[in-house]
Amino acid sequence: NSDPVKAANYYRMAKVISEKINYKKGIAKSFIYYSSVMYITGKYDSGIYYNQKALELSKLEKDTFFIGVTLLNIGSAYQAMSKPEEALPYLLEGVKLIEKNSDLKNKSIQVQLANSLQTLYNDRAQYDQSILYGEKAILPAKEMNDQSFLCLILINLSISYREKKMLPKAEELA
């Protein structure tokens, strides 16, 4: 995050090494990590491109967890580009695959998935759905003692409560 150029160089080197040893999962991971540099620098279209490359490799390898991750990343990019209608199918499919193929005892995954959907539904003015996922994210965020993520979740949740004219609920979060 502090030096995207250096990070991009490392990911390119990882890709070259993975290609030399024919390590498809390594190539896919390098695309995924490289796409995060694109997102950090605001190059969402490029990030989507590299996630689509990772998606192709993950499908060839039948790695459903990484398929889910790439779908979630693509959806998040569309969301950041203020394209919630394009984001939704990627996010929903990504969440479904990740939930099916990962250890949801991992609270970090729970929080990230729920918060992604909370934000998406908030952006689409589907506040009931946003509230559902926001409330789902609170407990694992508290258990992780992740104050910054918890703050983000509660802010988004309070916006949904306000939009639903549920001001007492919103005030409880303040």
Side-chain angles (χ1 to χ4, degrees):
N1 217 4
S2 63
D3 192 347
V5 173
K6 188 183 281 187
N9 287 332
Y10 286 130
Y11 298 142
R12 281 198 278 295
M13 288 190 304
K15 179 183 168 280
V16 168
I17 293 167
S18 294
E19 287 173 336
K20 282 183 182 178
I21 62 172
N22 199 30
Y23 180 45
K24 303 278 190 230
K25 191 170 188 172
I27 298 167
K29 280 184 174 184
S30 68
F31 283 139
I32 290 170
Y33 294 138
Y34 188 75
S35 75
S36 66
V37 173
M38 298 294 100
Y39 295 157
I40 289 167
T41 58
K43 299 174 184 169
Y44 298 110
D45 287 331
S46 295
I48 290 169
Y49 170 80
Y50 288 106
N51 265 298
Q52 287 172 333
K53 302 278 280 177
L55 180 60
E56 291 169 18
L57 287 170
S58 297
K59 284 180 177 179
L60 286 174
E61 293 294 304
K62 296 180 174 63
D63 187 332
T64 52
F65 179 77
F66 273 99
I67 292 169
V69 168
T70 57
L71 291 170
L72 198 60
N73 288 346
I74 293 168
S76 295
Y78 280 122
Q79 192 172 356
M81 296 166 67
S82 298
K83 296 181 176 182
E85 296 306 318
E86 291 179 54
L88 185 61
Y90 288 102
L91 288 172
L92 291 176
E93 184 64 21
V95 165
K96 185 171 78 174
L97 288 172
I98 290 171
E99 285 179 337
K100 189 168 111 179
N101 295 289
S102 71
D103 178 12
L104 281 183
K105 292 179 182 142
N106 180 331
K107 290 182 186 356
S108 177
I109 291 175
Q110 289 177 21
V111 170
Q112 289 174 40
L113 295 177
N115 188 60
S116 291
L117 289 171
Q118 173 193 15
T119 305
L120 177 72
Y121 283 117
N122 201 349
D123 290 346
R124 298 180 77 217
Q126 292 179 305
Y127 301 113
D128 290 330
Q129 287 295 100
S130 179
I131 289 168
L132 175 77
Y133 286 103
E135 289 176 345
K136 188 176 177 179
I138 291 173
L139 182 60
K142 282 183 177 178
E143 290 173 350
M144 288 172 30
N145 198 27
D146 188 331
Q147 298 301 311
S148 60
F149 227 136
L150 184 59
C151 184
L152 178 63
I153 293 163
L154 293 174
I155 288 168
N156 289 331
L157 198 49
S158 68
I159 291 167
S160 294
Y161 285 142
R162 183 193 69 215
E163 293 299 324
K164 291 286 295 175
K165 309 285 189 256
M166 299 169 68
L167 292 179
K169 284 282 242 182
E171 289 168 356
E172 286 175 25
L173 299 176

